[in-house]
Amino acid sequence: MPECGICGETAEKLYLCTSCGVKFCENDGSPEEKKCINCSEKAKETLEAEHEEEREKAHEGEETEKEEEETEEEDRDENPDDYK
């Protein structure tokens, strides 16, 4: 019987990971995605990092808008004649 390249257990059926080429059993990866557990985890981490960057960029935009509003309010308070 063939042996899983991840856990070392023998299995009736193994799947070939399309990312790294290791042969894995159904407990050590996703046969549907054809990715071993190691490559699946790396893909998740990459996606999470990308989403975190997007959230940070969106948050930066909110902070900039807030700062602009505060600056405009301060300017109005200091120069009310300019806004009539």
Side-chain angles (χ1 to χ4, degrees), residues 37-53 55:
I37 194 165
N38 296 331
C39 292
S40 292
E41 291 298 318
K42 287 177 190 172
K44 279 184 199 174
E45 290 172 6
T46 302
L47 280 175
E48 288 171 5
E50 289 172 358
H51 289 298
E52 182 62 28
E53 285 178 17
R55 286 191 290 270

Side-chain angles (χ1 to χ4, degrees), residues 27-28 35 57 60:
N27 296 327
D28 289 317
K35 295 214 183 279
K57 286 179 183 176
E60 286 174 9

